[in-house]
């Protein structure tokens, strides 16, 4: 029962992160070309553009997160709505961080073909999940991978979710 619960939580956490990563990275590649031309013309700075872009992506994302957690909240009978709002906060922080990683990957890869972008996204996503302290414990990894595990969003989101469910005297 406990193992099934861990698999369930891990699956819905990484599935949502994958959707966010692919969506933001692929949409960012189309918007970046427009940004470059308007930035060269002096319409606005890069900081103001990215701030408005992040806020405009977060506004529709918040109702999606609320609905996603409402569908997946199987712990309501046990936690009395405390788990739901904390999980929404964790998922929002994870989504914003994952979107930022998608933007960074897109900037590093550039506006090359869609296949190259998708392959790099999937590779980074798989590495994040391998060093995410679910498949292999971080303390058993090589020192380099222990250092890289500090940059894994999946690791911290999943550990926070497990602490929220099984911690605090439960």
């Amino acid at each position: 029962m406990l193992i099934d619960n861990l698999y369930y939580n891990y699956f819905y956490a990484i599935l949502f992160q994958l959707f966010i990563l692919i969506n933001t990275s692929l949409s960012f590649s189309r918007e970046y070309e427009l940004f470059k031309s308007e930035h060269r013309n002096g319409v606005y700075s890069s900081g103001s553009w990215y701030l408005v872009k992040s806020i405009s992506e977060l506004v529709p994302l918040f109702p999606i997160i609320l609905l996603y957690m409402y569908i997946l909240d199987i712990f309501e009978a046990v936690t009395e709505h405390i788990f739901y709002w904390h999980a929404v906060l964790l998922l929002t922080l994870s989504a914003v961080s994952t979107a930022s990683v998608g933007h960074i990957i897109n900037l590093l890869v550039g506006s090359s073909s869609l296949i190259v972008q998708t392959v790099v996204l999937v590779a980074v996503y798989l590495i994040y999940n391998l060093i995410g302290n679910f498949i292999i414990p971080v303390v058993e990894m090589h020192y380099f991978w222990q250092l890289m595990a500090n940059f894994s969003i999946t690791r911290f989101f999943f550990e926070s979710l497990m602490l929220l469910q099984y911690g605090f005297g439960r």
Side-chain angles (χ1 to χ4, degrees), residues 88-107:
V88 165
L89 178 66
L90 286 175
L91 199 58
T92 304
L93 291 173
S94 171
V96 170
S97 302
T98 305
S100 300
V101 168
H103 295 157
I104 290 170
I105 290 171
N106 191 282
L107 287 174

Side-chain angles (χ1 to χ4, degrees), residues 10 14 17-18 21 101 105 118-133 135-136 141 145 152 154:
Y10 189 72
I14 65 169
Q17 285 182 346
L18 178 65
L21 186 67
V101 168
I105 290 171
T118 307
V119 167
V120 170
L121 282 173
V122 169
V124 167
Y125 183 72
L126 288 176
I127 290 172
Y128 263 22
N129 286 312
L130 285 175
I131 61 177
N133 203 20
I135 300 170
I136 304 168
M141 293 182 192
W145 292 112
S152 176
T154 308

Side-chain angles (χ1 to χ4, degrees), residues 2 13 21 30 47 51 60 62 68 75 77 79 90 97 107 130 133 142 149 151-152 158 167:
L2 180 64
L21 186 67
R30 291 180 299 215
L51 177 67
F62 195 67
Y68 188 71
F75 308 103
T79 58
L90 286 175
S97 302
L107 287 174
L130 285 175
N133 203 20
H142 187 268
F151 300 106
S152 176
F158 187 69

Side-chain angles (χ1 to χ4, degrees), residues 26-75:
L26 297 180
S27 67
F28 188 76
S29 63
R30 291 180 299 215
E31 296 167 358
Y32 185 67
E33 298 300 321
L34 177 67
F35 162 71
K36 283 195 308 190
S37 67
E38 290 181 357
H39 183 65
R40 266 184 265 139
N41 295 334
V43 176
Y44 41 73
S45 68
S46 58
S48 64
W49 176 77
Y50 191 73
L51 177 67
V52 170
K53 178 175 176 33
S54 298
I55 291 172
S56 65
E57 284 181 352
L58 189 61
V59 169
L61 186 64
F62 195 67
I64 293 170
I65 290 173
L66 289 172
L67 182 65
Y68 188 71
M69 281 309 302
Y70 180 74
I71 292 170
L72 297 174
D73 186 16
I74 61 173
F75 308 103

